[in-house]
Amino acid sequence: TEYQFSGKVKMDRQEHWENVYQTKGRDEVSWFREHLDTSLRMIEKTGVGKNVPVIDVGGGNSNLADDLLDAGFVDISVLDISGKALADSQERLSADAAKVTWIEADITEANLPSGHYGLWHDRAVFHFLTDPADRRKYADLVERSVKDGGHIIAASFGIDGPQKCSGLNVVRYAPESMQAEFGDSFDLIESITETHYTPFGTTQEFIYCHFRKMR
């Protein structure tokens, strides 16, 4: 199993998420879903080949990597700020964990290969970036590390979604406002609004946006 580390990690943010994953079980967080069905459908709809490099940003202990392996994808990276979340996924995947590249990093400080990924997936990381400078770093990283013609699937709380998650403020998005954050290099192909049912019996509005990197 390959491990990579960013040069600098914002410890306050990292400590918050390490605490979350140390103190709560996988199905005891509001964003838990057994399978990311909407993400999987959107990934399938892109038509990308199974050998295309895929990165799941904030993948933590999500089982998207499991489902992508089952679907035949062979070049999967999972990035998360929490080493505990990544370790949980590696334990769950057992021998199959060696088929995945695990990257422990703060996405605003991560060092990723240029023009490498054909598919970038993020469910519920981007909306935690309340500082415009951090959102700019994120968008710049996507632009650098996703190859021309590559796909970006980003999911955040929608306009009617919660204003906080895990005790942190979030930014809620409409497709147009997320498009504005990513900029003219990205073409918005599709957006989907989803009602997410939390393990606690409440609902959250998510917006999923599929972008294509044009240049």
Side-chain angles (χ1 to χ4, degrees), residues 138-156:
Y138 182 108
D140 287 347
L141 181 61
V142 175
E143 188 154 11
R144 283 197 310 274
S145 61
V146 175
K147 61 184 65 176
D148 290 348
H151 301 267
I152 298 92
I153 295 172
S156 72

Side-chain angles (χ1 to χ4, degrees), residues 9 11 56 58 92 96 100 115 117 125 155 157 159 214:
V9 175
M11 293 308 295
D56 184 19
R92 186 185 66 251
D96 281 343
V100 177
Y117 300 104
V125 171
F157 285 149
I159 294 299
M214 304 310 294

Side-chain angles (χ1 to χ4, degrees), residues 48-66:
V48 298
K50 299 300 171 65
N51 61 338
V52 164
V54 176
I55 185 167
D56 184 19
V57 172
N61 60 9
S62 158
N63 65 357
L64 183 66
D66 312 41

Side-chain angles (χ1 to χ4, degrees), residues 114-132:
S114 296
H116 179 67
Y117 300 104
L119 177 66
W120 174 292
H121 174 267
D122 167 5
R123 179 178 179 267
V125 171
F126 189 65
H127 65 202
F128 283 111
L129 302 182
T130 55
D131 183 344

